[in-house]
Amino acid sequence: MMDQAQSLRQLVSSQEPKLAEKGETSARIITVCSGKGGVGKSNFTLNFALTLKAMGKRVLLFDADIGMANIDVLMGVSAKYNLYHLLKREADIEQIIQLGPNGLPFIAGGSGMDELFSLSESDLNYFTAQIALIADSMDYILFDTGAGLSKETLKFITSADDCLVVTTPEPTAITDAYALMKVVNRTYPEISFKLIVNQAGDEREASVTSDKIRMAASRFLQLDVSYLGHISSDAHVVQAVKRQTPFSLAFPNSVAAKDIHRLALSYLTIDGKKETKVQGIKGFIHKWLKRSK
């Protein structure tokens, strides 16, 4: 049977011709965050990544939730290596990148995330070079960050190309999503946000939820928040979590799966209209270092 490293090498090499044709070497960096826990952020990130991949995009999923990393659990995959092993030079990038369902490449977080924020210049250069080996063959890199706004999450939000904020119609989730945007906007007014309403009872409830946040952001922050779409409250999602299988794969005809497909299309449509050049992983880390000073 083909081992993981060999599978990953084939994955990268098979994408290089497409990369050369387009003349691009930069992935768009996406941070996914939420104002509070319990809104389904990680589940959204995983299924969003899988949906983008099913649409022909090259996606790398990075679990950046410090202390609460659970992407591998949601997939039912046991991660042999995580970021810690790369930072300690106990494994290279090909070894720490695991392949999840449908061949989705992902990096487990775990204890390595703490190490990431206190690297020496030499170690940081090594980390950047290693990540660039795979990042340059991707269209999108998704960082699933921790809930709330820690100083680490703030760095991811303000260094990425895009920030997706996941909320639910619950009043506390709405308040916390707005609060996150407000705190970020206070210091970094140039950062824009895209909003996703998860666990919505119906389209109307999602629209009302979105309008509350967007109107408050516009009125009090002079911030234009884009609304990407919603994911319906669906019993299939709970069933999929119990099975440790992404709902978009376990129940592809479910309402939630159709919603996230529609949402991914919306994102790609918006992304396709952008004229700004993406910064790539090296640009992301350069920004991230500036935020650390």
Side-chain angles (χ1 to χ4, degrees):
M1 182 179 290
M2 185 185 304
D3 64 21
Q4 172 113 345
Q6 186 179 353
S7 298
L8 184 59
R9 283 192 292 272
Q10 290 193 2
L11 172 72
V12 176
S13 63
S14 68
Q15 294 175 142
E16 287 173 348
K18 181 180 178 182
L19 221 165
E21 267 182 35
K22 293 171 65 179
E24 299 175 358
T25 58
S26 295
R28 181 171 289 278
I29 311 297
I30 305 171
T31 289
V32 184
C33 62
S34 63
K36 67 183 291 291
V39 300
K41 171 186 56 61
S42 294
N43 208 8
F44 162 78
T45 308
L46 170 59
N47 284 277
F48 183 64
L50 283 165
T51 303
L52 289 176
K53 188 175 188 303
M55 293 176 173
K57 300 303 178 181
R58 302 162 296 176
V59 183
L60 173 63
L61 178 56
F62 200 125
D63 194 343
D65 189 345
I66 299 173
M68 296 291 287
N70 64 356
I71 288 290
D72 53 341
V73 176
L74 289 171
M75 288 189 285
V77 176
S78 178
K80 183 178 179 181
Y81 298 107
N82 60 37
L83 185 60
Y84 176 86
H85 298 96
L86 177 66
L87 299 179
K88 292 299 182 181
R89 308 195 187 195
E90 295 174 4
D92 61 24
I93 189 66
E94 290 183 346
Q95 290 172 303
I96 73 159
I97 293 184
Q98 315 290 300
L99 296 181
N102 282 15
L104 175 69
F106 76 97
I107 295 178
S111 60
M113 290 307 303
D114 291 323
E115 302 278 340
L116 191 54
F117 294 100
S118 57
L119 292 179
S120 66
E121 184 175 353
S122 172
D123 287 340
L124 187 66
N125 289 336
Y126 172 77
F127 168 73
T128 304
Q130 284 285 300
I131 294 295
L133 290 175
I134 186 68
D136 286 348
S137 62
M138 295 293 165
D139 293 312
Y140 298 102
I141 299 178
L142 274 70
F143 286 92
D144 178 42
T145 65
L149 190 59
S150 65
K151 62 180 181 180
E152 291 82 12
T153 297
L154 180 63
K155 292 175 188 176
F156 280 108
I157 291 174
T158 58
S159 302
D161 295 303
D162 283 325
C163 179
L164 310 187
V165 181
V166 181
T167 187
T168 70
E170 293 180 4
T172 53
I174 294 172
T175 301
D176 289 346
Y178 172 74
L180 180 147
M181 297 179 191
K182 180 179 178 180
V183 172
V184 174
N185 180 260
R186 187 180 300 154
T187 308
Y188 302 99
E190 74 278 9
I191 303 300
S192 60
F193 301 92
K194 294 179 177 62
L195 185 66
I196 294 99
V197 178
N198 194 25
Q199 302 170 14
D202 53 33
E203 189 171 350
R204 182 179 180 281
E205 183 178 49
S207 180
V208 169
T209 300
S210 167
D211 287 347
K212 286 180 180 178
I213 296 173
R214 296 177 70 223
M215 289 172 65
S218 177
R219 179 179 178 183
F220 299 110
L221 308 178
Q222 290 74 56
L223 179 64
D224 183 19
V225 177
S226 302
Y227 176 45
L228 269 189
H230 76 281
I231 302 170
S232 303
S233 180
D234 187 341
H236 291 103
V237 174
V238 178
Q239 292 178 43
V241 170
K242 290 179 179 178
R243 292 186 187 184
Q244 293 184 275
T245 305
F247 67 79
S248 57
L249 300 182
F251 304 103
N253 295 317
S254 65
V255 174
K258 291 177 180 177
D259 286 342
I260 203 160
H261 185 273
R262 191 179 305 113
L263 197 150
L265 279 176
S266 176
Y267 176 81
L268 292 179
T269 300
I270 294 172
D271 188 36
K273 293 178 180 178
K274 290 179 181 175
E275 296 181 358
T276 55
K277 186 178 179 181
V278 299
Q279 60 184 337
I281 194 68
K282 292 182 180 178
F284 167 77
I285 292 176
H286 176 69
K287 263 190 185 180
W288 185 35
L289 284 175
K290 288 174 63 178
R291 308 303 194 216
S292 302
K293 294 178 179 179

